[in-house]
Amino acid sequence: MKILLSMIAAVCSVQIVSSTFCFWNSGCPYKYFSNKTPYEFVRGDIRDSLVKLTGCEPVSIWGLIRHGHRFPGIEYAKHMKAALVIKDYIVSSYERGNCSLCAQDVENLRTWQDDKQMLDNHHQLSEEGNLESVGLGRRLRQAFPKLLAKLDKNDYQFRPAPGEWMADGVKAFVDGLYDSPLTIEPAKIDFDIISPYEKCQKYIDLKQSSQPYAVPMKYLKSSEYLAVIDRIQRRLGIDYPLTHTNVSALYDLCRYDSSGLRNQFSPWCALFTTEDLQAFEYAADLRHYYRSGYGSPINERFGEIALADLLKSFQDSKTGEGKKITAYITHATMMDMVYTALKLFKDDEPLTAEFRNPDRKWRSSKQAIFSSNLMAVLNKCNGGTDDYNVVFYMNEEPLQSICKEGVCTWKEFEDKLSPFTDTNTDFCG
Ligand SMILES: *[C@@H]1O[C@H](CO)[C@@H](O)[C@H](O)[C@H]1NC(C)=O
Ligand SMILES: *[C@@H]1O[C@H](CO)[C@@H](O)[C@H](O)[C@H]1NC(C)=O
């Protein structure tokens, strides 16, 4: 009898333990969704993190900003739409007792409303994306009240890369930054330093070749990744065989439908464990690494082109010809390329399909998130004519890995960037 009672107790406690593995009340869900990470989940705050140097005053800001949260493109939206039916499979599997998700997680999924906006407005900046950009502009103004108090026509330059969502993003940024409307340059369709790869035949050829996809594809066939699909299949207990396409679409539903501003995760995220999400994240890191990072030597050239503009901008400021603020809105691809040109987040060994290093430096969940940004601030010090320094910020935190505490002396800054002034796209053919 005693044995029986303790057996019952053991069974009960097992059940209690298992029912606490729920997504809806798991205090701290994994929030790194690669290039679809909401900005609010990972950003710093320039108002708090501003590096104040005695005797120095900011005289110019240069920023490269990725557009904010936008809706998925046509192809991704198609797969996501197709995957919506999996919700019904999960609910009926749960009712049969085959699905190991928690009751509340299944209920949240069942009552989830298909967001027509998300799946039908391909590539459009969402309300969330709009507010991310407004917020960034507003915080910047608050962090640099003197510099940005009054902007005359020649004090600023704003330009989006081609694409409606970039144009909307720059408008939102300027709305947050300044009280009255400012002139925004139109996108340059043929060539722009903030998207120099777009019309480059050599890059187009590379993207169309299988080369940048070889390692990422290999990872999708690795035992680690196949185990992820298998785990999800068993967790959901549905007889519909899940493919990589299906699982990716479910992941997209999770991350596109999560809101950083409302600090809300989508009920679709309950389908995955942290380990699953880390594998998806790595698959995306590999894509970024080989398509727009260290994995292909061409990429850093493009980053150098944008950085030459930064150098020129601050050199102009030193001679009194510069802008108070220059800001560009562009793509994740460009962000990757710029970090690559700066030799940041470079791992000692190239990223491989065989080994997912949890301590790797290359992280799309930091570099290429929605609204990710690199800002450089030129400071003039002690009123001296040649005493300048440049502070770098990434996502509103000092960029420690570039120079000590994120602060580069003028010489360090110039030494880093001046080799880029001669970079051009002649190699594009
Ligand atoms: C699952 O993926 C396959 C392709 O791998 C596709 O044909 C099918 O429509 C997808 N099913 C769902 C429910 O998304
Ligand atoms: C559901 O569970 C039952 C009993 O364990 C099993 O026989 C059946 O094959 C399962 N169905 C699915 C789709 O996994």
Side-chain angles (χ1 to χ4, degrees), residues 43-50 136 139-140 143-144 393 396:
R43 73 169 172 90
D45 192 317
I46 187 75
R47 295 168 301 186
D48 299 321
S49 65
L50 189 69
L136 179 60
R139 288 189 297 278
L140 215 55
F144 299 95
Y393 298 89
E396 301 183 58

Side-chain angles (χ1 to χ4, degrees), residues 79 81-86 89 240-246 249:
H79 293 306
K81 272 187 185 175
L84 292 177
V85 65
I86 294 175
Y89 302 160
Y240 186 88
L242 294 171
T243 64
H244 163 66
T245 308
N246 304 142

Side-chain angles (χ1 to χ4, degrees), residues 30 224 278 281-282 285 289 344-352 355-364 366-367:
Y30 194 71
E224 171 171 280
Q278 286 168 338
E281 186 190 18
Y282 189 60
D285 282 0
Y289 188 88
L344 296 175
F345 315 118
K346 186 171 192 184
D347 294 277
D348 296 339
E349 299 294 325
L351 267 51
T352 66
F355 175 55
R356 174 168 61 88
N357 178 2
D359 301 320
R360 68 193 175 278
K361 295 183 185 144
W362 182 262
R363 293 268 171 184
S364 55
K366 293 214 163 71
Q367 292 145 225

Side-chain angles (χ1 to χ4, degrees), residues 132-419:
E132 284 170 6
S133 298
V134 172
L136 179 60
R138 186 173 43 80
R139 288 189 297 278
L140 215 55
R141 176 174 65 171
Q142 289 174 9
F144 299 95
K146 254 174 84 186
L147 179 66
L148 302 175
K150 191 164 173 300
L151 295 176
D152 291 326
K153 209 169 170 300
N154 295 320
D155 289 339
Y156 62 85
Q157 182 179 23
F158 303 112
R159 190 168 70 240
E164 203 187 327
W165 66 105
M166 251 76 55
D168 290 344
V170 86
K171 264 187 233 138
F173 174 76
V174 170
D175 271 355
L177 186 81
Y178 206 62
D179 289 330
S180 46
L182 300 174
T183 311
I184 297 168
E185 291 178 6
K188 293 184 175 179
I189 305 300
D190 282 334
F191 173 81
D192 198 344
I193 52 133
I194 54 169
S195 52
Y197 53 88
E198 272 192 3
K199 293 275 162 73
C200 174
Q201 195 55 43
K202 200 162 170 197
Y203 185 74
I204 295 169
D205 291 346
L206 177 77
K207 256 183 83 172
Q208 285 173 352
S209 76
S210 57
Q211 193 199 323
Y213 306 99
V215 176
M217 291 298 278
K218 200 168 172 200
Y219 181 68
L220 299 183
K221 297 194 173 89
S222 69
S223 54
E224 171 171 280
Y225 189 80
L226 294 177
V228 170
I229 299 190
D230 187 51
R231 276 204 304 267
I232 297 167
Q233 180 85 54
R234 278 184 292 134
R235 189 176 308 131
L236 304 184
I238 55 181
D239 42 21
Y240 186 88
L242 294 171
T243 64
H244 163 66
T245 308
N246 304 142
V247 170
S248 301
L250 295 170
Y251 178 47
D252 277 340
L253 282 165
C254 153
R255 48 194 197 150
Y256 272 109
D257 185 49
S258 290
S259 162
L261 286 159
R262 282 177 277 120
N263 195 20
Q264 215 170 57
F265 287 84
S266 169
W268 289 98
C269 299
L271 273 49
F272 310 113
T273 62
T274 297
E275 288 71 32
D276 301 341
L277 295 170
Q278 286 168 338
F280 295 150
E281 186 190 18
Y282 189 60
D285 282 0
L286 288 173
R287 280 195 297 277
H288 280 261
Y289 188 88
Y290 287 94
R291 203 180 52 199
S292 39
Y294 294 104
S296 309
I298 191 174
N299 291 324
E300 65 186 278
R301 294 283 97 78
F302 298 115
E304 291 171 6
I305 289 171
L307 289 164
D309 182 80
L310 163 59
L311 177 63
K312 169 140 196 336
S313 168
F314 284 178
Q315 281 170 338
D316 287 349
S317 289
K318 284 181 71 179
T319 60
E321 313 258 283
K323 314 274 182 212
K324 290 181 178 172
I325 181 165
T326 301
Y328 303 112
I329 299 242
T330 184
H331 304 268
T333 304
M334 192 68 220
M335 304 306 296
D336 286 341
M337 290 168 168
V338 163
Y339 289 122
T340 304
L342 287 170
K343 304 272 189 284
L344 296 175
F345 315 118
K346 186 171 192 184
D347 294 277
D348 296 339
E349 299 294 325
L351 267 51
T352 66
E354 290 75 25
F355 175 55
R356 174 168 61 88
N357 178 2
D359 301 320
R360 68 193 175 278
K361 295 183 185 144
W362 182 262
R363 293 268 171 184
S364 55
S365 298
K366 293 214 163 71
Q367 292 145 225
I369 59 175
F370 284 133
S371 289
S372 64
N373 54 81
L374 176 72
M375 301 264 172
V377 178
L378 177 70
N379 286 308
K380 185 175 185 178
C381 302
N382 295 321
T385 44
D386 213 31
D387 191 6
Y388 288 85
N389 60 48
V390 178
V391 189
F392 281 89
Y393 298 89
M394 176 191 196
N395 303 338
E396 301 183 58
E397 311 250 34
L399 181 51
Q400 312 275 356
S401 49
I402 191 161
C403 290
K404 197 161 176 286
E405 316 282 329
V407 185
C408 302
T409 63
W410 178 262
K411 183 167 186 321
E412 283 172 323
F413 173 75
E414 215 171 29
D415 286 351
K416 267 183 209 302
L417 271 57
S418 53

